[in-house]
Amino acid sequence: MYERTWERRLASALSGTGTDTGTGNGTGAGSGAGQEPVLVLVEGDAGMGKSRLVHQLLESPPARAVARLVVTFQSSGRLVVADPLGPEPRATATATDNPARVQDAAPLGVRLTAYQALDALLASARPALLVAEDLHHADDDSLALLRRLLREPPAPFAAVLTYRPEQLPRPGLPLGRAVDYPARLSVVRWRLEPLDEHGVRCVAGELLGARRCPQEFVARLRQRSGGVPQVLVDLARMLRDAADDRNSRSGSHHHRDRDVQDRGFTARDVDEVGVPVRLAELVLERTAALPEPYRPIVWAAAVLDEPAGAQDLAAVAGCQGDEGRTALIAALAGSVLRETSEGRYGFAVPLAAAALYAELPGPVRERLHHRAAAMLAAREPVPWARIARHWRGGGRTEDWLRAAEHLGRDDEAAVALLEEALDTGGLPADKRGRLALTLARGAVLGRRSEGTTRILRGVVEDPALPAADRGEIRLELGLLLHNRKRRFEEGRTELRRAAHELAEAERPALAARAMAALANPFFPGASLAENVTWLERAETAAEESGDRAARTATAACRATVLMNTGDLDAWRLVARLPRDSPDRAGRQQVARGLCNTANGAVYLGHYRRADELLTEGIELAARSGAPFLERVGRGTALFRDWLTGRWEGLAERCTGLVAEDGSASDARVVLALLALAKGDWEAVREWLPRGDHVRGTYGVYESCEAPVAATAAGARIRLLLARQNVDSAAEAATSAWAWLAGKGVWVWGAELAPWVVLAHTGAGQRESARRVVAEFAAGLTGRDAPSASAALLWCRAVLAEADGELAEARACFQRAGEAYAGLPHPYARALMAEGAGRCALLLGGDVADAAVEDLTHRVAELTDLGAVWDAARVRATLRACRPAAGRRSPGRPAYAERMSPREGEVAELAATGLTNREIAATLYLSPRTVEQHVARAMRKLGIASRQGLAKEVSRGRATRGEGGGDGALGHAPPP
């Protein structure tokens, strides 16, 4: 049963009253439906949110319009009368406190029982709405009173009764016994279920910040909290406090705020934060309430730390005969344990096991672990990860390490145990090497914690480690740093050392893998020439090895290099990649090649062919067990969607990927591009990658993949230009172009070159602009790069316009627009139409008349995309340059209390966070005029602040759709 369903049911039951307030009419229920009483039984464990629902109900208009009574039964036997009109209940009026409504019913100095108080309150208040919370604490007399009331309820009447099903004296009977409900009473039961992953993400995001809650963290949070809202909130607060404490001890104040904001929480944070106090007290109290002989069954569940069958629990607890069954029944009756699935028993909140485990005496805990390990050792197949955990918990270090050698590398629990084993001091070098190899292999493609990097780095520096093992472990460490952790400089250093060590150890297949990683042009820190050198060395090593997977890796790498340089031969190489490779490693290399070449094809402008490669690559990555490649493919798809104008829901898809993978730089840059088009310039700054200034001028370009960095650099230059920081924009343009030239992959200038040229021309540096255009043209010679070719036309148009050659500029803008339309890249096409129209309006004559019509169409196109800032700028261009015949007649139209088109336009830009000066620059107005427009818009909307204006715009967009027509505020149409 959904919340809205029972809210409508209650509203219908109460709709026959309150007509004086206007709430009883117009509900559509009719007088008959309004007289049908309803009983809603809300059941849920402790912390499931029953009280929240009650408060929500009491705030609803139908509930406010009727006589109502809200009471809570307490475990002490008292009855608390809550004040329903406040935001929180006030337990100040109780039966023993003699509240005003019941004091006349009791002789002076006599305490009323809960039953007597409830009876008096019902008689005096005659409520149309009765809310009784925590019915599991009610005494028999009170329950009998409620049963009598429900057998003959008044009309109109609605009752909401909440309770914990596990604490009912008679299971399944919240009112103590069956009730003879009348036919006209609608009775519904609603059991509150744990939050799903989406619900957990919402709660965690609200308390911790959505950007700091990656998918693995949310999944662990849900798993440990059991999805119980109160436990989840308590955990989130503990995590927030721990993060604040950690960051208060770190670094300088200058960097701290940014570090706090950027650092995402991890699954390990959940494991290490501890158990919320109220959960720990609850489970310990319930366990202590069990008879002593029955407690070992609960201890066994805590040691196993996962749902188990009755026989397993009895075996670990050491119960004989029927003792285990009897103890389990008692634990279930006492709500300590629960049947989590058929025949499996454990804690309703898994984290509760940790609270109980921590209180077990050491000898008891070790004995339980020994029994668990012995029991599991008899299973087939042998669950080595679970056995290793129990031997470790039982203090049997040698047995634990022996079991750890059998662990796989794909299971999360196994990875954690391997990391713990490697953290254990005194391991022999050969055993340490074997465990490290197990942990390292596949690290870049599988699940690894933050501790993996630290542990592997410590292992490779061990001088006793065999050289061949050191090279392989260093290879995986380098890939992990490079591909997953985005610590590119450290990763390349480790990969270079690994390539040398593996070649020295005569392991050419693995050396080829290290060299192929160094050949990938996506990653910063090396020029294309250096990438090609490593590629040639990798191909030689792969051929010498005779290893099929190594040859596949180098073939995928060559296809990647060629695709990203616009070489037509790339398509032939991609087609020859062995999709049906018999070994998993080979399929993973093919999946990598498909995803990487799809990314390259997107940056080239071959969107349809990129879609085909991307679909195939993601499917193969999933089939070959490479979740990291799946995320890479999804990031490529997000950038493709931005380019091709699939903006609806794009921001949500991007933030979803950022939540899963905090280092999803492509998703972050797309969010920055979307924010730039909307005029939300603060969001642009937040989403763009940040460089480490300690590393020098190019630090910002070294913080993410090279093509993403080029796109981000273009967005940063455009932001500076929009804010009229022309000199800063020119400096950023010089830096970015020098960096791209050093990389040598000119096709990646498609989203950078036009803004570099605009920055130089805006700063009066036309010679620099001409030099950029010439270098860009030379770099694209002989390259298959339709997107960069369109950008080159754009650059030439900008240069011609700056030189005053308006006819030539208009022609270049038009050709660029046609090129972008063919890709398609609708946003860039609209910007080209703006440029062509701007030139045409300045030229005048017939071309100006045609430009007005075209620009009007582009305003609608940009608005539909959601590019609010761009649409406003084009409208301003039309107003500034529109031919006289197209202008409205003189005189101010009377808008009265409606917003004028200009007021609505200014208000929408102000809502994005733009200053008056920035709005003035966009709309060709004076800051004083903008200030007046903002003031009038706020007055007409009844809003006192710009924050309120932002909320009103957001609400208007949600009502009218993201495009919003002429604006999201519903202003008057233009005259």
Side-chain angles (χ1 to χ4, degrees), residues 798-930:
V798 171
L799 197 54
E801 186 178 12
D803 288 338
E805 302 292 338
L806 296 179
E808 181 184 348
R810 175 172 172 267
C812 285
F813 276 125
Q814 288 176 328
R815 290 201 300 274
E818 292 167 0
Y820 281 122
L823 295 178
H825 189 344
Y827 181 59
R829 179 190 63 192
L831 296 183
M832 296 307 95
E834 178 190 2
R838 184 175 59 246
C839 293
L841 289 172
L842 292 172
L843 286 168
D846 293 341
V847 295
D849 294 335
V852 170
E853 182 178 352
D854 186 57
L855 286 176
T856 302
H857 174 71
R858 299 307 171 188
V859 168
E861 188 177 63
L862 287 165
T863 302
D864 289 342
L865 269 176
V868 177
W869 176 58
D870 294 291
R873 187 185 60 254
V874 177
R875 277 195 295 266
T877 299
L878 276 170
R879 280 193 293 267
C881 302
R882 181 184 297 172
R887 296 175 185 157
R888 66 172 173 83
S889 56
R892 179 181 295 276
Y895 290 107
E897 290 306 304
R898 297 176 302 160
M899 278 200 298
S900 70
R902 179 61 62 84
E903 289 166 354
E905 190 172 56
V906 169
E908 196 152 340
L909 291 175
T912 65
L914 269 63
T915 65
N916 288 349
R917 185 175 68 85
E918 291 165 344
I919 297 170
T922 299
L923 301 180
Y924 307 129
L925 300 172
S926 72
R928 176 60 179 163
T929 300
V930 170

Side-chain angles (χ1 to χ4, degrees), residues 700-739:
V700 68
Y701 313 121
E702 306 297 311
S703 63
C704 58
E705 297 84 345
V708 178
T711 302
R716 181 174 285 104
I717 294 166
R718 191 184 184 197
L719 176 63
L720 291 169
L721 289 171
R723 288 189 150 168
Q724 298 182 305
N725 296 329
V726 178
D727 291 341
S728 296
E731 290 178 12
T734 299
S735 172
W737 197 251
W739 168 81

Side-chain angles (χ1 to χ4, degrees), residues 737-807:
W737 197 251
W739 168 81
L740 183 66
K743 184 66 183 178
V745 185
W746 295 102
V747 299
W748 290 341
E751 299 295 324
L752 170 62
W755 307 114
V756 170
V757 175
L758 270 164
H760 284 314
T761 56
Q765 302 168 359
R766 294 187 191 171
E767 287 306 315
S768 296
R770 288 190 181 91
R771 186 167 58 253
V772 166
V773 173
E775 289 174 351
F776 195 31
L780 296 181
T781 301
R783 300 296 173 184
D784 172 38
S787 183
S789 298
L792 178 59
L793 289 170
W794 184 355
C795 292
R796 286 171 172 158
V798 171
L799 197 54
E801 186 178 12
D803 288 338
E805 302 292 338
L806 296 179

Side-chain angles (χ1 to χ4, degrees), residues 49-232:
K50 299 182 293 298
S51 295
R52 178 189 64 83
L53 289 175
V54 167
H55 296 159
Q56 179 180 322
L57 162 66
L58 295 176
E59 290 298 316
S60 67
R64 284 181 169 274
V66 299
R68 61 191 190 178
L69 174 62
V70 183
V71 300
T72 301
F73 293 97
Q74 293 192 319
S75 58
S76 63
R78 298 171 63 188
L79 183 74
V80 174
V81 182
D83 176 3
L85 298 179
E88 297 289 341
R90 287 194 294 111
T92 57
T94 70
T96 55
D97 293 331
N98 238 5
R101 283 181 286 184
V102 298
Q103 62 184 0
D104 295 336
L108 186 63
V110 176
R111 278 192 182 183
L112 297 180
T113 65
Y115 159 73
Q116 291 169 331
L118 181 60
D119 190 29
L121 289 165
L122 288 171
S124 62
R126 297 185 179 277
L129 172 62
L130 170 65
V131 176
E133 293 199 76
D134 293 342
L135 205 62
H136 50 279
H137 291 317
D139 61 274
D140 290 340
D141 289 338
S142 296
L143 293 176
L145 175 60
L146 291 173
R147 289 197 299 270
R148 288 197 300 272
L149 173 65
L150 293 170
R151 280 200 294 268
E152 297 181 11
F157 180 75
V160 178
L161 309 181
T162 74
Y163 56 93
R164 299 178 186 175
E166 74 276 13
Q167 290 185 245
L168 290 174
R170 296 183 179 181
L173 295 171
L175 288 156
R177 50 191 297 188
V179 182
D180 185 15
Y181 298 117
R184 64 188 180 90
L185 179 67
S186 176
V187 183
V188 292
R189 187 192 305 268
W190 186 18
R191 176 168 180 79
L192 297 182
E193 298 294 338
L195 296 175
D196 59 13
E197 193 162 302
H198 173 73
V200 171
R201 183 182 300 283
C202 290
V203 173
E206 184 176 347
L207 290 170
L208 304 173
R211 300 183 192 181
R212 302 175 68 192
C213 299
Q215 191 273 335
E216 290 180 2
F217 165 74
V218 172
R220 181 63 60 83
L221 202 56
R222 182 179 187 276
Q223 187 265 325
R224 299 300 285 164
S225 70
V228 175
Q230 185 62 65
V231 177
L232 176 61

Side-chain angles (χ1 to χ4, degrees), residues 508-521 531-562 573-574 577-578 585-586 588-590 592-593 596-597:
L510 290 175
R513 280 188 59 204
M515 296 169 186
L518 291 165
N520 192 331
N531 295 140
V532 171
T533 298
W534 280 112
L535 174 59
E536 291 169 349
R537 291 183 60 183
E539 288 172 330
T540 300
E543 285 302 317
E544 289 176 358
S545 74
D547 183 84
R548 179 184 298 161
R551 289 199 298 266
T552 300
T554 55
C557 187
R558 177 161 289 278
T560 297
V561 171
L562 295 186
L573 295 182
V574 171
L577 290 176
Q588 288 177 342
Q589 294 298 339
V590 173
R592 183 192 301 281
N596 285 346
T597 52

